[in-house]
Amino acid sequence: MKAGICHAAGVVALVLAPISAPAAPAPSDVVYDEYGSVAESLTGAAGDPVKGADVMANRGLGNCVACHLVSDLDEVPFHGEVGPALDGVADRWTEADLRGIVANAKMVFPGTIMPAFYKNEGYTRPGDAFTGNAADGPLDPLLTAEQVEDVVAYLMTLKE
């Protein structure tokens, strides 16, 4: 009887063990197609559009509204006019296109001033106090893979 109980407990432990999601690719390992699109989710899962809106509005994270008008986020003050309005962006770009633009817009628009939000090498960032010390290895990207996916999920809700 004890062997049966131990065996059953082992089965329960295996069933209840957390299933880990695949690790996000390092920024340098993201696969862009010839047009700068990224077909595969960086996390292997869909993002959360509510969290994506928060990232876009948060001045300490994406701060997308500093450069872009987003009418859906009209409660956030001081929308910029440097970048194009993002209203209806999901009608103009595919999810893969938007993922590529958010991860590294320079793959799509070589001369853009839009930051690469999922890149951590190959450029200079001012202020080690804010971004880490490059001598310690690659810097962290501006956004995590999950935050990129959240922003993409939110952008996909912006239809005309």
Side-chain angles (χ1 to χ4, degrees):
M1 185 73 170
K2 282 189 175 181
I5 292 171
C6 291
H7 177 71
V11 170
V12 170
L14 287 174
V15 171
L16 296 178
I19 299 172
S20 59
S28 59
D29 294 335
V30 174
V31 177
Y32 296 87
D33 73 10
E34 65 183 307
Y35 302 108
S37 298
V38 177
E40 299 295 321
S41 166
L42 299 178
T43 62
D48 179 335
V50 173
K51 289 180 182 177
D54 290 340
V55 170
M56 289 186 61
N58 186 318
R59 300 206 185 281
L61 290 174
N63 197 20
C64 305
V65 297
C67 293
H68 299 278
L69 169 70
V70 183
S71 296
D72 187 58
L73 299 175
D74 64 353
E75 74 281 359
V76 179
F78 310 117
H79 289 236
E81 297 176 356
V82 174
L86 297 180
D87 298 347
V89 72
D91 294 325
R92 298 188 299 271
W93 300 94
T94 67
E95 182 177 332
D97 294 334
L98 291 171
R99 184 176 296 109
I101 292 168
V102 173
N104 186 355
K106 289 167 182 46
M107 299 294 289
V108 178
F109 308 111
T112 187
I113 62 169
M114 182 171 161
F117 286 100
Y118 199 68
K119 183 176 177 177
N120 65 348
E121 58 190 11
Y123 57 89
T124 303
R125 281 198 199 158
D128 286 348
F130 298 102
T131 59
N133 186 339
D136 296 333
L139 302 173
D140 290 336
L142 296 173
L143 296 178
T144 66
E146 182 178 350
Q147 290 168 327
V148 169
E149 291 304 322
D150 293 342
V151 168
V152 170
Y154 175 70
L155 291 172
M156 290 304 296
T157 70
L158 299 179
K159 297 183 180 257
E160 296 287 344

